[in-house]
Every structure is written in C-alpha cells, then in structure tokens.
Amino acid sequence: MIPRYNRIKIEKIWTLENKYKIWTEIEILISEKLSDIGVIPKIAAKEIRKKAKFNVDEINKIEKMTKHDVNAYIDNVSKYIGKQSKYFHHGVTSSDIIDTGFSIQLKQTAEIIRRELKILLKNLKSKSLKHKKTPMIGRSHGIHAEPITFGLKLGSFYNEFKRNLKRLDLAIEEISVCSISGPVGTYDSIDPRVEKYVAKKLKLNS
C-alpha cells in the first residue's frame, strides 16, 4: 500500500509482528488439541502455551541463513519453549500455518472495513431523510436533466452500499477458512480433529 493512503488499524494487521502473533496462536491451539487426543504429552502443550514467543529481528536474522520464513520462525520460538519444543509444529506443514494465518489477517481487515461501511450506511440513511425535499438538478449523459432531490441521490448511494455490504459479508465467509491438513493436504500426519478444533477457536470454517 502507498503509505499516505494507509489506515493505521489495517496497516498493523499486516505487520510481521501481527503475522507471527497469529502463527503462534495457531501453533498453540494445534498443540492443545494434539495433547487432548493423546498425540503429544499434555505437559508439552502447557509449556508451549506458557513459553511460546518470538522476536521479529531474530527471525529475520535466522531467515537469512535458512532462506525459509517458517523454519526461521520455528527455530526462534523453539528457543524460548525449550525442552518441549520438539512438539512444536508437530505433524503440520508450512502451508497449514501460512494459509490459516493469511485467512485471519484477511478477516481482521475485512471486519474493520465492515464496521466502517455500517457507519457509512447509517450516515447515508440519516442524511437522505434529512434532505428528502432538498432540490437539486439531476444529470444524464453528463449534462443537466430533470430536477431531483439530494435525498434521492443519497438514497441511491445507500442502496448501493447495502449491496456492497452483502458482497463483503460473502467475501468474509469465503476467506474465513482454516486449513490444517499436513503435507500435501492428506491429513496423514495430522488428525482432522485438530483442524476442526483450531477452526472453532479462531471462528473460521474448516
């Protein structure tokens, strides 16, 4: 994005700090369900929840050597977890974390836009009623036409943005997907119950 057009709230969503924060929560939830179904020790999930953290600068340095962002992230978080880190990122693949994290970032962004859109709709409705009888010239083919009211013009905008809200809601539903199925998506190394659990916790579809 061009910096001067950035919205600060949205810009923060797309920082490395927030991306790795989301990845960490996904990884923690994976470990919780794996411990619940007996794949990894319960102490491992507790330690991962308690100690998992990251440092963006350290990850960037590691990535220069690994040439792989997820491996660099795992190495960095594992350092903070310690002994139980062997159960961190257990049974999953990079895309499980990247794709699910990306869905969350898209959803976080869309929800901000949705809140702003609802405010716009509220204002359009109130002003269209206020100016219900405020006359103005209508335009057709770029030139003056029949007279209308400013309220009518705003009312047409209101209805268009109501349709836009429906489109946005559909888009949010489409992108809100949790995908945790292991290498090449076979679920061979990760139980499907893990995906359902993480999806429910993060309010995503599975």
Side-chain angles (χ1 to χ4, degrees):
M1 292 179 68
I2 299 173
R4 68 174 175 270
Y5 298 131
N6 283 358
R7 300 293 294 272
I8 293 175
K9 288 181 180 179
I10 292 178
E11 187 176 13
K12 287 181 178 179
I13 291 170
W14 297 97
T15 60
L16 289 174
E17 185 76 28
N18 189 56
K19 182 178 79 170
Y20 294 137
K21 180 181 177 182
I22 292 168
W23 285 11
T24 303
E25 183 59 23
I26 294 168
E27 294 278 15
I28 288 170
L29 291 172
I30 289 170
S31 69
E32 285 181 354
K33 189 59 181 178
L34 287 174
S35 71
D36 182 58
I37 60 178
V39 176
I40 68 172
K42 290 191 178 296
I43 185 62
K46 290 179 180 178
E47 287 290 291
I48 290 170
R49 168 62 77 179
K50 181 180 178 181
K51 297 181 178 180
K53 62 179 181 178
F54 59 86
N55 182 290
V56 174
D57 291 335
E58 291 174 1
I59 293 172
N60 290 339
K61 288 179 182 178
I62 298 169
E63 188 177 352
K64 288 179 181 179
M65 295 182 289
T66 63
K67 308 297 182 184
H68 194 291
D69 57 345
V70 179
N71 281 347
Y73 162 78
I74 293 169
D75 288 349
N76 182 242
V77 179
S78 295
K79 181 185 75 172
Y80 293 104
I81 295 171
K83 181 180 178 181
Q84 301 299 333
S85 63
K86 61 184 177 181
Y87 297 110
F88 186 72
H89 198 71
H90 184 87
V92 294
T93 192
S94 298
S95 294
D96 293 335
I97 310 305
I98 294 171
D99 293 351
T100 302
F102 187 55
S103 290
I104 293 171
Q105 286 177 289
L106 286 173
K107 187 178 180 183
Q108 288 176 344
T109 302
E111 286 174 345
I112 290 174
I113 296 171
R114 190 180 189 279
R115 287 195 295 269
E116 297 291 325
L117 184 52
K118 293 193 80 173
I119 293 171
L120 174 60
L121 280 168
K122 183 179 179 180
N123 289 333
L124 282 172
K125 183 176 182 179
S126 65
K127 290 188 182 300
S128 67
L129 292 172
K130 179 180 178 180
H131 293 284
K132 182 178 180 180
K133 296 184 179 180
T134 302
M136 66 173 285
I137 194 70
R139 299 181 72 85
S140 179
H141 300 284
I143 61 174
H144 287 180
E146 300 298 319
I148 60 173
T149 68
F150 187 46
L152 176 64
K153 175 65 71 174
L154 293 177
S156 67
F157 292 155
Y158 172 76
N159 281 292
E160 176 60 28
F161 277 98
K162 276 182 69 176
R163 292 192 290 274
N164 288 336
L165 179 60
K166 288 182 181 179
R167 296 183 188 107
L168 182 60
D169 285 339
L170 287 172
I172 292 172
E173 181 68 18
E174 284 293 314
I175 56 92
S176 298
V177 177
C178 177
S179 178
I180 301 174
S181 52
V184 300
T186 62
Y187 295 97
D188 185 55
S189 61
I190 190 78
D191 193 301
R193 288 176 290 178
V194 174
E195 182 182 76
K196 292 183 182 298
Y197 174 79
V198 176
K200 184 178 180 180
K201 287 290 184 178
L202 298 176
K203 298 180 180 179
L204 297 173
N205 302 315
S206 61

